[in-house]
Amino acid sequence: MDRIKRHGTWAGTLRIAMVLITCLCVLFACLGCGDSKSADDSGIKGTGEKTTGKWVVELYMCGTDLESEGGAATNDLAELTENLPPEGVTFVIQTGGAKKWHNDEVKRKEIDRFVYDKDGLRRLDKLPDADMASPDTLASFLKFAQDKFEADHRILIMWNHGGGTVGGACYDERTQHIMSLNQMQDALASTYNKDRDKPPFDIVGFDCCLMATYGVANNFEGYGRYLVASQELEPGNGWYYTGIVNGFNEGVGSDPLVLAKVMCDSYMKGCEDVGTDDQATLSVTDLSKLPQLREAYEQMGVEAIKAAEKNPKKFFSRYARQAKKSANFGGNTRDTGYTNMIDMGDFAKRTEDLLPDTAKKVQQALSAAVLYKVSGALKEDSQGLSCYYPYQLEQQMENLSAIRCDLIWYDADKNLMYMFGNDANVDVDWEKGTCKDNFDGTWMMLDKHPLYTDVTEQTDDHITYAIPIKLNGEQMNLFVVYEDAKQAYRILGARAAINEQGAGDRNLVKLKPGDKVTTQQYAMSIDKAGKDAQLVDVATFQLGENFAVTDEPLADGTYAYVFDFIAPNGDYSMSDMASYELKGGNITTSVATE
């Protein structure tokens, strides 16, 4: 096939704007985009030599709703086939797992296999339909690629939704199954022997959400040399495959690490081009360094247990507060769902005073393992690997990890209380045990419509909020960041919550003028305060040309303001209510007593 036919075959039904944007990206030359660890910092330099040896890239593409609803897989296939790879580089592709495909080559209700190399794109096989979330289906693909294609360098890329250590990846929307990490390991073990010195894959990559975790890295140790994955939810544009092919063409020598860096840099540049880079992350972890990281991490756990012996309440209170302050990924609220993933390096840095013998050792071992990373402006504290932190524990713990403030509005005529959500605009003195609110009669609003807010992340320079809304009739969470330096809010976009299988949604939707937004709040009966709160629609409106999120004066009325005292398990208790009467900008306050 020539270039025009190849491009037309895959991308005929794509949104024209996205194709034009992605086709402009020549990405291999962009080393060090975002907040990245440079090649010099990692101690390893790319050769830039002509690509040598036989490279086989095995792309397991489970299309799911990313393809059926938005054509994301078709877009990536269009990117892949934009330029021919050099001699010796072969992409082997398996597709399935979607109710609908947005191109004429891939068919639903069957498994398709393709090859893409210097001679273009060719269909290799058409198989009966199968569950792409089944380890047997993955094992069959791995065995096929091993038998048919000799390789000096073998790469595995899993394409789909991801849910991290607990959730796994490869959600098939037809079967509603998702593949666990153990099942992925079973599929690999059916074809390859585990070898820590000479693993069968040079790179195991996840074009999925939330998969750069300590648990995932441990799972693929011995099967891959490097793990390339994202700590955060990936945006819908995902990896930029034209940049990967261009990387091969510009030369990676025989060094898989050079290609891994190309994957990171091209991804970040692609995100920058479509405006989804703020929270983007991608990292390269050397899985041969896991034994040292594992030893340091386990020692940190032992030190934590010993440190808690004398005064467990005080220790775990401080420990949990540092976890809450650490960079976290995926949302971790009741509306977004819980991934229970925080940044391992950021957490270790924040606990140095609590764990002086081991926290720095974890940071050192992590730095040695994570050879390269890129991250957006709002994820500058991310260090490349996440670890599990239970926001929701099964057993009770009576210590505080955070204090938030809640705002409530009384509608006496309807006997209802409307909750405006929580904010982190609270001054807390943890040593003295005092907290002070900064309420001034204003609240966060979108085009002058009050929002229900939920803090998902609070760092030293910004606060990120998740806000339940309906966007053009679909239930989503709007993500908004308040940046201290600018003293202003910025809208990041909206995405669906983590699904029942634990997979994060990659489709970050950018708001635009004319979109229909329905704001929502939790409501309950005044005489049943604290029980059976329901999320209800409040106001529906169209976004104007210059829509924005700003703090605006609240309407006159009766409000209540309370402090939430939050325990590490997500449970909380509330302070007495302080009642506010707002009238003409004046605030009259009283405190309820029994």
Side-chain angles (χ1 to χ4, degrees), residues 314-335:
K314 182 178 180 180
F315 173 82
F316 281 115
S317 175
R318 296 176 64 194
Y319 189 79
R321 285 199 295 274
Q322 298 311 316
K324 288 284 188 180
K325 290 179 181 178
S326 301
N328 77 90
F329 308 96
N332 292 304
T333 70
R334 63 176 173 181
D335 290 307

Side-chain angles (χ1 to χ4, degrees), residues 100-175:
K100 177 183 177 181
W101 288 82
H102 290 253
N103 63 76
D104 296 331
E105 294 295 321
V106 181
K107 309 297 182 184
R108 69 186 189 96
K109 295 186 177 180
E110 68 183 42
I111 297 295
D112 290 317
R113 286 174 178 166
F114 302 88
V115 64
Y116 183 63
D117 56 18
K118 66 181 181 62
D119 297 320
L121 178 72
R122 304 181 299 282
R123 183 189 296 272
L124 292 179
D125 213 347
K126 180 176 72 173
L127 302 174
D129 197 10
D131 182 0
M132 287 284 281
S134 167
D136 293 337
T137 307
L138 175 59
S140 174
F141 173 63
L142 296 173
K143 187 68 167 63
F144 167 81
Q146 181 195 48
D147 291 344
K148 297 293 184 182
F149 300 93
E150 293 183 358
D152 300 306
H153 305 285
R154 200 173 289 273
I155 315 297
L156 174 63
I157 300 175
M158 307 288 282
W159 191 105
N160 188 253
H161 289 299
T165 299
V166 177
C170 284
Y171 173 70
D172 188 314
E173 70 172 335
R174 295 99 37 85
T175 64

Side-chain angles (χ1 to χ4, degrees), residues 407-428:
L407 181 67
I408 300 169
W409 172 60
Y410 288 93
D411 187 342
D413 293 338
K414 295 182 180 179
N415 191 38
L416 289 176
M417 300 168 58
Y418 288 90
M419 301 176 68
F420 281 69
N422 64 76
D423 197 0
N425 190 16
V426 179
D427 295 329
V428 181

Side-chain angles (χ1 to χ4, degrees), residues 222-238:
Y223 292 109
R225 174 64 187 276
Y226 302 113
L227 170 69
V228 179
S230 170
Q231 290 178 271
E232 186 54 279
L233 298 170
E234 281 193 1
N237 53 280

